[in-house]
Amino acid sequence: MPIILVQKLVKRFGYKMVLKGMEFTAEPGEFVGLLGPNGAGKTTFLRILASLSRPTMGLVRLAGYQLPQQAAGVRANLGVLSHQPLLYGDLTGEENLQFFGRMYAVDGLEARIGEVLELVDLSRRGQDLVRTYSRGMAQRLAIARAVIHDPGILLLDEPYTGLDQDASVMLDTVLKQIAAQGRTVVMTSHDLVRTADLCSRFDVLSRGKIIASASREEIPQDGLLAFYRTAISAPAEPLREAVHA
């Protein structure tokens, strides 16, 4: 049973149709790289999954809960990270995590804060104000915020934006640890090298639909760019490179 199930998803903004009958599934533990040109609808799709935007038509179900009717159930099983950390700069790292942990009614919150700070390698900076953090440190704390309630699903929208090389390498390590814990991850990114290294599956969103999909094993080494270019240059009819199990 897919942990994320999307069928015939349509999203309109006025007369503009961004998603045009989109189909998507993700199994428990998959790390899906969602690729596509600018304006393809990747962020719109993640916002719908995160219950931040309502679908115009179609079925959207996460962790057994249907959107938009059961948004509270979805949010309890979901962590979200974008290129903006969405943290409070005048609070410490620990205070930020306390705030979000209380929102989710996390049991044993103090112990959990210690766990997630260790996960993102910020244990020594937990009592410092977030406004003193570097961009990379803030992004790592944002990951801790996203997983404080131990969600089964994590949505990442361009998480590497604005990070330097060292911060990106550190984020690689954290995301690999997150994935190794068995979470289902859906990530948008323009960085194909990092996407190729992290993800177990690659979907290409273009013209309002998933037009190609392949597992890591189906793509030759260093072949993700060729796969992507072939997909987006294909005719307008939907192309399925692989059928998900």
Side-chain angles (χ1 to χ4, degrees):
M1 181 75 177
I3 192 168
I4 303 176
L5 175 64
V6 176
Q7 296 177 330
K8 299 180 180 178
L9 174 61
V10 172
K11 179 61 179 180
R12 290 191 185 96
F13 294 99
Y15 292 105
K16 182 179 181 181
M17 187 180 293
V18 178
L19 301 177
K20 307 173 182 178
M22 182 178 173
E23 306 276 333
F24 178 88
T25 62
E27 302 295 331
E30 276 195 296
F31 196 136
V32 183
L34 186 63
L35 312 175
N38 289 332
K42 302 184 299 297
T43 294
T44 296
F45 177 54
L46 258 60
R47 284 181 58 82
I48 290 172
L49 293 184
S51 76
L52 299 174
S53 180
R54 295 172 66 93
T56 303
M57 294 176 58
L59 173 70
V60 181
R61 183 176 292 143
L62 290 85
Y65 296 95
Q66 188 165 329
L67 288 173
Q69 298 92 329
Q70 299 174 304
V74 168
R75 291 169 187 156
N77 289 275
L78 188 67
V80 180
L81 174 68
S82 72
H83 58 279
Q84 297 177 332
L86 301 178
L87 299 165
Y88 295 98
D90 288 328
L91 298 180
T92 68
E94 291 180 359
E95 287 169 342
N96 270 272
L97 296 178
Q98 287 168 355
F99 175 79
F100 289 104
R102 287 168 183 157
M103 284 181 60
Y104 287 106
V106 174
D107 290 331
L109 180 56
E110 294 305 316
R112 179 60 181 163
I113 288 172
E115 290 174 5
V116 295
L117 285 175
E118 183 174 355
L119 174 67
V120 299
D121 195 25
L122 286 175
S123 297
R124 290 177 294 178
R125 295 295 304 270
Q127 296 184 8
D128 295 341
L129 296 179
V130 168
R131 59 181 168 82
T132 69
Y133 285 13
S134 68
R135 173 75 175 87
M137 290 171 60
Q139 195 69 331
R140 282 187 279 139
L141 184 65
I143 293 179
R145 182 257 303 156
V147 301
I148 188 69
H149 56 303
D150 197 22
I153 303 169
L154 193 59
L155 305 179
L156 310 174
D157 190 16
E158 297 291 348
Y160 289 91
T161 300
L163 298 185
D164 62 23
Q165 182 63 24
D166 290 342
S168 294
V169 170
M170 179 65 76
L171 187 58
D172 288 343
T173 300
V174 173
L175 291 182
K176 287 176 181 178
Q177 291 176 302
I178 293 287
Q181 294 174 344
R183 291 184 177 86
T184 300
V185 183
V186 181
M187 181 179 77
T188 71
S189 178
H190 288 100
D191 189 333
L192 294 186
V193 174
R194 292 206 137 76
T195 302
D197 187 49
L198 288 168
C199 299
S200 60
R201 195 184 96 207
F202 312 95
D203 285 10
V204 180
L205 175 60
S206 183
R207 302 182 289 273
K209 294 183 178 181
I210 300 295
I211 60 170
S213 180
S215 68
R216 180 201 292 267
E217 291 75 19
E218 293 173 300
I219 296 179
Q221 187 174 8
D222 300 324
L224 183 58
L225 178 58
F227 165 77
Y228 174 71
R229 285 177 170 171
T230 299
I232 62 175
S233 63
E237 288 297 317
L239 171 66
R240 299 296 290 185
E241 294 289 343
V243 177
H244 309 323

